[in-house]
Amino acid sequence: MAQRTRLGDADCSIAQALDVVGDWWTLLIVRDAARGLHRFEEFQQELGVSRKVLAERLRLLVEAGVLAREPYQDRPVRHAYRLTPRGRALLPVLVALQDWGDTWILGEGEMTATTDTASREAERVHALKGTRVPELLLTDASGALRDPVADTPFTVLYCFPGAYARAEAYPPGWAGIPGARGCTFESCTYRDQLAQFTAAGASVHGVSTQRPDEQRDFAEKEKLRFPLLSDADLDLTAALRLPTFRAGGTSRLKRLTLVVARDRTVVEVQYPVQDIEASVAAALAAVVSRGGAPG
């Protein structure tokens, strides 16, 4: 059994939280559970940790109510481990750690909504090509839960920092954040070319971490005819380890585009997006080249 030092500061929530998730293997297990890994062998293959250490960390997370242990096979009995609501509440912690690492370890410590094409952050995002989007639900502008991957041959998921119906709703200093501007133009460009994406067999979904009501007001103002999905709880962001930055007290997605096949496989990645019109054209070309035909 692993030796653990109990943190005795009963009045400090930070100390008490670290008593549950202060071990690095523990947070990495939570990270991988958010990515859609659920079985013991999957965790071990991904983390390269010993079976003994992994079994102990999984047991501690189950006891802490972070993971739920569910049988999926009878003979022999095997269990899957899934995040509980308490576990999902750790997703903002993971995203904040990643944001800090991207900014201060991999980056130059500056707030930005983009990155350099040769950065390690861009390399991580491009590594999503060939992986699958886990099954999860996001809230659309009407408040309904919706799968971000549509039941069409392809789904274009364009992730954007934030777009508002009123100019005064943007966070202070928004225009000065590299890569933040252009969300309205991007959404309207997809709106104007939606018929071509539809004819090519692709649905278009916009994703931001804004509240659904903010997205609804923006969609109505710009007469968007495709869904905007809210990742305010950071489910998709944590699952795919999407890059973020912090502005206006909120974690916000950096601008990127994923083309996803019906089987949930990511077939194309655009990051960073430096030319919005070219990015939309490239997304359409990616769909057409895989069997669609523009209208």
Side-chain angles (χ1 to χ4, degrees), residues 41-101:
E41 293 76 13
E42 293 174 332
F43 288 120
Q44 187 179 34
Q45 181 178 3
E46 181 68 22
L47 296 172
V49 62
S50 74
R51 296 182 66 87
K52 179 179 179 181
V53 170
L54 179 57
E56 177 67 12
R57 298 309 187 274
L58 289 171
R59 182 186 66 80
L60 291 171
L61 286 171
V62 171
E63 289 179 353
V66 173
L67 293 177
R69 191 167 177 255
E70 304 172 353
Y72 69 88
Q73 179 178 301
D74 292 331
R75 297 182 180 178
V77 177
R78 298 185 186 278
H79 293 86
Y81 298 86
R82 299 182 185 278
L83 289 173
T84 64
R86 177 179 287 193
R88 302 207 74 80
L90 283 168
L91 298 187
V93 177
L94 295 180
V95 171
L97 281 172
Q98 178 176 279
D99 187 6
W100 183 83

Side-chain angles (χ1 to χ4, degrees), residues 213-293:
D213 62 298
E214 294 173 332
Q215 293 182 334
R216 182 183 63 249
D217 291 345
F218 172 71
E220 290 176 353
K221 178 178 182 293
E222 300 301 337
K223 298 180 173 59
L224 302 185
R225 293 170 288 119
F226 54 83
L228 296 183
L229 305 178
S230 172
D231 194 27
D233 292 332
L234 305 176
D235 290 316
L236 183 67
T237 301
L240 300 182
R241 296 175 59 206
L242 301 178
T244 61
F245 68 104
R246 190 93 178 160
T250 300
S251 292
R252 300 177 183 274
L253 286 165
K254 295 186 180 182
R255 192 183 315 282
L256 63 96
T257 302
L258 305 175
V259 179
V260 185
R262 195 198 303 263
D263 68 356
R264 314 187 75 83
T265 301
V266 178
V267 298
E268 190 70 30
V269 177
Q270 296 180 22
Y271 184 66
V273 174
Q274 298 173 327
D275 183 324
I276 289 173
E277 286 185 300
S279 171
V280 175
L284 179 59
V287 172
V288 171
S289 69
R290 286 169 171 82

